[in-house]
Amino acid sequence: MNFTRWSARLPGTQRRAAARTDQVALPDRQSEQPGSVPAARAEQLTDATRPVPAVDELPVREVLDRVPALVALVHGPDHRVAYVNDAYVAAFGPRPLGEPTREALPELDELGLLPLLDQVQRSGRPRTLKSRKAPDGRSYTFSCTPVTEGESPDGHGVLVFATDVTDHAEAAERLRASERRQRETAVTLQRSLLPQELEQPDDLRIAATYQPGGTEAAVGGDWYDVITLGGGRTALVIGDVMGRGVRAAAVMGQLRTAVRAYARLDLPPHEVLQLLDGLATEIDANQIATCVYAIHDPNEGRLVYASAGHLPILVRDESGVVLRADEPTGPPLGTGGWMHASGSIPLGPGSTAVLYTDGLVERRNEDLDEGIAALERALAGATGTPQVVCDRLVRSAGVTADHDDDVAVLVLQHPARTGPDGELFRNAALELLGGVEAAPRARAFASGVLTSWRFPADLHDLGVLAASELVANSLQHGIPPMRLRLRRTDRRLIIEVTDGDDHLPRRRRAEPGDESGRGIAIVATIASNWGSRRTPGGGKAVWCEFLLPKGAT
């Protein structure tokens, strides 16, 4: 192979040669004109001064042999090897000339470079293949440039130029590994801060899912929680801390812990958000979060909620109609200076409610309302257990492992119980008019109800005693209207007394000479759990509950 002939055909060679010829001839033409001044450069040339050779005068083979990059020249339809430089030989060993590339340069075949050579030869345009790992263990970026001589197919060739980018590739891989470790740390922290196992209230069936963002997005601060308040009531929470990474997950953990602490105070939803708003400002004044806090009371058949800039709760009733809880909605947590308010939405037997974060419905170049409307349509057709509904909603939203945002979904159902299952969930209530006959009447009512529910004798007697003490406490310290309510589930007996006074009782130690102050202490001793809360519109409710033995169900 005449390499000199091929090098003369490399792109730009003829153009540069012509330009050099013009530059040499130019002084001669100027000297022929009358009055012309000889070029100063020509006057300074002497026998002692040797001109620097032009680029086109350099021996191509000598230059390419000394280039640290890998260079190979192939020609013809089967890419026969015309030349490899010393760097190429040092990397892959001697290569036979004149043989097809597939046999002579198997490393290029392994890298998938042969189709690229065909493409460059057909199109006459250069192509680049970035950062491929070669069999020698190093990474190269390959640039393929067409070279031509004549019209014959054998005159078409490709110059392969491979630059060693191993250091860059290893640095990029170390960076990717570091990012993966950081993301794994954030995901681990996030999952550890979420509930490891959801509480399952007596009257609700609940499922939840959390899907972290894909590998290109750091984990966010989405969270959810289910909190049993006692007395048959349940708090449900979902929120989203703005931002990503470990910081967002840490703030989320603090807010979730605070929500559980505030929930134990059994406050209305808007008061819980008011407390959270102040705490979010103290945690990080530059960090904001959205949150929905809702309470379900099976006696009321409604979901009472408050929202701090979060997306609306969706509820599908037993007929399949989907309702959207749009109002009221306040600003996100951490903004301060806002009085939150509570709203409510029906959640009777047979209903399904969905709480979710924006990763489920928000898409780039799409309106948020369109995403919520699509979720409404998906919920209208989603049936089955809460977990099945949860999975169907996530699939319908197109959430995959490489989704660009975190997704948290909380699904709760209030089953419509009938038949034998319905016998395990019963309610009975008595209005207390006051007077000396109220206490005996309450005891008789409680005794009759517990007998009809076929409770064992010891549980019957404890229930009657607890009802008597709660009623006596309400008669002494409360004001009308008063009500005694008994409720049973498949797991517990709940006794609750309400009155119009909002002063909450507290357990205290009664001295031997005291004639009162022992009622709440007695209830706290005999019951599995007890508590009190203020009711909407004024007044309070004092309750206690007893776990049922297995034989009672």
Side-chain angles (χ1 to χ4, degrees):
M1 182 67 185
N2 187 348
F3 191 85
T4 304
R5 178 171 61 88
W6 273 87
S7 65
R9 299 294 180 177
L10 292 177
T13 302
Q14 294 177 345
R15 184 175 65 254
R16 291 192 296 270
R20 186 177 70 254
T21 302
D22 293 342
Q23 292 171 358
V24 172
L26 183 58
D28 295 336
R29 289 195 299 269
Q30 289 177 345
S31 63
E32 294 174 358
Q33 297 178 2
S36 61
V37 178
R41 181 172 179 269
E43 294 177 355
Q44 294 174 358
L45 291 177
T46 64
D47 293 339
T49 304
R50 300 183 63 183
V52 177
V55 173
D56 293 332
E57 297 173 359
L58 295 175
V60 176
R61 178 185 291 273
E62 182 179 350
V63 171
L64 294 181
D65 279 342
R66 297 186 180 185
V67 168
L70 279 59
V71 180
L73 179 65
V74 300
H75 69 93
D78 52 356
H79 308 301
R80 293 184 177 275
V81 180
Y83 168 78
V84 292
N85 71 344
D86 293 344
Y88 198 106
V89 173
F92 297 109
R95 291 294 183 263
L97 302 182
E99 297 295 327
T101 297
R102 189 178 299 276
E103 289 78 21
L105 307 179
E107 58 277 357
L108 299 188
D109 190 15
E110 292 181 24
L111 290 168
L113 212 63
L114 297 189
L116 188 65
L117 296 179
D118 294 334
Q119 182 183 3
V120 170
Q121 204 169 50
R122 287 194 306 268
S123 66
R125 296 180 178 180
R127 293 288 187 272
T128 298
L129 192 65
K130 294 184 177 180
S131 190
R132 290 294 179 91
K133 194 167 187 178
D136 66 344
R138 303 191 68 79
S139 298
Y140 299 91
T141 290
F142 292 87
S143 296
C144 300
T145 305
V147 292
T148 59
E149 180 181 9
E151 300 297 331
S152 172
D154 290 338
H156 294 265
V158 180
L159 182 68
V160 180
F161 192 91
T163 305
D164 191 334
V165 293
T166 304
D167 292 342
H168 296 283
E170 291 178 351
E173 179 57 34
R174 287 193 297 269
L175 179 60
R176 287 191 293 269
S178 176
E179 291 174 346
R180 284 194 299 269
R181 288 193 297 270
Q182 290 180 5
R183 183 178 181 278
E184 290 170 359
T185 300
V187 171
T188 301
L189 174 62
Q190 173 86 335
R191 291 193 180 280
S192 66
L193 294 174
L194 290 174
Q196 302 304 302
E197 185 176 350
L198 286 179
E199 297 182 22
Q200 292 294 335
D202 297 356
D203 294 273
L204 298 176
R205 297 294 177 263
I206 301 177
T209 187
Y210 169 72
Q211 176 70 49
T215 55
E216 297 299 324
V219 67
D222 294 13
W223 94 91
Y224 56 83
D225 208 349
V226 178
I227 308 168
T228 301
L229 301 178
R233 302 164 72 249
T234 306
L236 306 122
V237 194
I238 196 162
D240 184 2
V241 177
M242 303 303 172
R244 297 183 180 278
V246 175
R247 177 59 183 168
V251 172
M252 176 275 290
Q254 295 178 76
L255 290 178
R256 177 175 173 258
T257 301
V259 169
R260 294 193 71 87
Y262 294 148
R264 298 305 175 191
L265 302 176
D266 216 339
L267 300 171
H270 65 276
E271 293 189 22
V272 171
L273 290 191
Q274 208 72 46
L275 293 171
L276 279 178
D277 186 31
L279 179 64
T281 304
E282 294 178 6
I283 293 174
D284 189 343
N286 299 319
Q287 191 80 57
I288 63 174
T290 64
C291 180
V292 166
Y293 182 88
I295 296 177
H296 176 256
D297 189 335
N299 296 314
E300 298 176 0
R302 302 184 69 81
L303 198 63
V304 181
Y305 68 91
S307 175
H310 203 78
L311 299 171
I313 301 172
L314 301 182
V315 176
R316 186 191 66 204
D317 63 20
E318 57 183 347
S319 63
V321 177
V322 177
L323 305 176
R324 184 189 297 192
D326 279 329
E327 298 294 340
T329 299
L333 303 175
T335 56
W338 181 268
M339 294 299 295
H340 292 274
S342 294
S344 67
I345 188 170
L347 187 70
S351 298
T352 300
V354 179
L355 290 76
Y356 52 96
T357 57
D358 57 0
L360 186 67
V361 295
E362 190 173 29
R363 298 292 180 271
R364 294 178 181 176
N365 303 322
E366 290 186 12
D367 188 78
L368 183 59
D369 285 336
E370 294 179 4
I372 298 176
L375 182 61
E376 289 179 347
R377 294 190 294 271
L379 178 59
T383 58
T385 65
Q387 189 61 58
V388 170
V389 173
C390 198
D391 295 340
R392 290 188 60 179
L393 295 181
V394 171
R395 286 197 304 270
S396 68
V399 177
T400 59
D402 57 352
H403 193 61
D404 61 357
D405 195 7
D406 289 19
V407 175
V409 184
L410 184 64
V411 175
L412 55 135
Q413 291 180 344
H414 187 186
R417 295 181 173 88
T418 58
D421 190 36
E423 293 295 320
L424 300 178
F425 291 80
R426 306 285 293 276
N427 284 280
L430 173 67
E431 298 293 337
L432 300 174
L433 303 178
V436 294
E437 74 283 355
R441 185 163 174 257
R443 285 193 294 270
F445 173 79
S447 178
V449 169
L450 297 179
T451 299
S452 67
W453 289 349
R454 300 177 182 177
F455 282 168
D458 55 345
L459 184 58
H460 171 280
D461 294 342
L462 291 175
V464 172
L465 176 59
S468 176
E469 293 296 338
L470 292 181
V471 169
N473 183 77
S474 181
L475 290 172
Q476 182 175 358
H477 302 286
I479 58 176
M482 303 178 185
R483 170 184 287 189
L484 169 64
R485 176 185 291 163
L486 282 77
R487 174 174 172 78
R488 72 156 295 168
T489 69
D490 59 343
R491 287 181 261 178
R492 71 197 75 231
L493 165 66
I494 303 168
I495 301 172
E496 182 182 82
V497 175
T498 59
D499 63 55
D501 184 75
D502 61 1
H503 178 74
L504 299 180
R506 60 184 179 88
R507 183 179 180 181
R508 63 185 180 87
R509 181 186 298 275
E511 298 298 331
D514 292 343
E515 297 182 358
S516 63
R518 294 181 175 85
I520 296 299
I522 292 174
V523 171
T525 301
I526 64 175
S528 304
N529 194 15
W530 80 280
S532 61
R533 69 178 187 280
R534 291 186 173 88
T535 54
K540 66 176 180 293
V542 185
W543 55 270
C544 67
E545 58 185 28
F546 298 86
L547 295 178
L548 301 183
K550 294 183 179 180
T553 60

